[in-house]
Amino acid sequence: RGFIYKGNSSKECSCHRTYRLTSRYNGIAEASGLPSYEELHKLKYLGETDVFKKLRSLPEQIAKKHLKNVLLFVTGGLRNQKTTSVAKTIYGIVTSGKTVKYLLFSDLIESFTKNETSDDLVSTDWLIIDDCFEGETVNFKTTYNQFYNLILKRNKPTIIVSSLSKYDLMNRKDLPSYNYDMLVK
């Protein structure tokens, strides 16, 4: 039944733990349009380079060092498997017992526009915002302060995913300017 009983105590067995955490990831994936656990493992994935290995080990490294204010930018061109890498990272976060909220930048900006943001964006252990600064239809300038304040309020790791390069983020005139140190950490 998922637990090993010994005397008056019980311990969750590894099979049940894997099933429970995989189900939790699949719930996040289904709600977010990410590949399910099964689909994730069937994908042709190039994630054995050093960059992908570092991203995958990030949650463990942050937990070991007890880091809190971590803001990570994952950048790269289209079709570079950023979202797949982030999905694998989310699975690692979920299996470590942490909570994660994944959403698209356009959905976040829309929730700001409608004043529908929730406290779970600040309180979740990990916040991952995908497709940042990419939508031409998103009027980011009007909601920049809300976005910036959200990032500042969080005292927990945040990952921002964008197909724009660090150079593009720094030099686009239609976006607010960014602190260079924030981008290179």
Side-chain angles (χ1 to χ4, degrees):
R1 297 189 184 214
F3 290 88
I4 299 169
Y5 297 94
K6 197 173 200 178
N8 291 336
S9 65
S10 66
K11 177 181 164 188
E12 184 177 30
C13 74
S14 62
C15 297
H16 187 267
R17 182 177 190 279
T18 300
Y19 171 77
R20 179 176 53 82
L21 295 174
T22 299
S23 295
R24 186 184 306 166
Y25 168 81
N26 281 339
I28 294 167
E30 183 178 336
S32 307
L34 292 171
S36 70
Y37 175 77
E38 294 76 18
E39 294 166 337
L40 195 59
H41 288 286
K42 290 178 186 175
L43 287 174
K44 188 172 185 176
Y45 180 63
L46 306 174
E48 294 308 315
T49 65
D50 285 343
V51 173
F52 291 114
K53 286 178 183 176
K54 287 177 185 175
L55 179 62
R56 199 169 42 226
S57 70
L58 183 69
E60 182 182 333
Q61 294 300 317
I62 288 173
K64 267 187 199 176
K65 295 177 182 178
H66 304 287
L67 300 175
K68 293 182 179 173
N69 290 337
V70 176
L71 178 60
L72 174 73
F73 278 76
V74 177
T75 63
L78 297 173
R79 316 289 303 155
N80 274 353
Q81 295 189 318
K82 295 177 299 298
T83 301
T84 301
S85 297
V86 166
K88 287 189 174 273
T89 303
I90 291 170
Y91 184 76
I93 294 167
V94 168
T95 58
S96 73
K98 301 289 183 186
T99 59
V100 64
K101 179 78 173 170
Y102 170 91
L103 68 156
L104 297 176
F105 182 72
S106 58
D107 294 338
L108 176 64
I109 298 303
E110 185 177 324
S111 70
F112 287 150
T113 304
K114 294 178 178 179
N115 291 323
E116 294 176 348
T117 55
S118 61
D119 291 337
D120 68 328
L121 295 177
V122 174
S123 64
T124 189
D125 293 325
W126 284 77
L127 176 62
I128 300 174
I129 307 167
D130 202 352
D131 293 337
C132 277
F133 318 119
E134 296 173 22
E136 295 301 323
T137 60
V138 174
N139 187 351
F140 179 50
K141 287 184 178 184
T142 61
T143 54
Y144 173 72
N145 285 339
Q146 290 172 295
F147 174 76
Y148 187 68
N149 288 333
L150 170 65
I151 300 303
L152 289 178
K153 277 187 211 175
R154 286 187 47 76
N155 194 20
K156 298 174 182 184
T158 303
I159 298 176
I160 294 177
V161 183
S162 178
S163 63
L164 300 175
S165 70
K166 200 173 4 177
Y167 175 81
D168 291 336
L169 288 171
M170 300 282 296
N171 293 305
R172 278 191 52 184
K173 302 298 181 213
D174 60 330
L175 294 174
S177 60
Y178 296 90
N179 177 338
Y180 180 74
D181 293 333
M182 180 177 78
L183 290 171
V184 295
K185 288 184 180 178

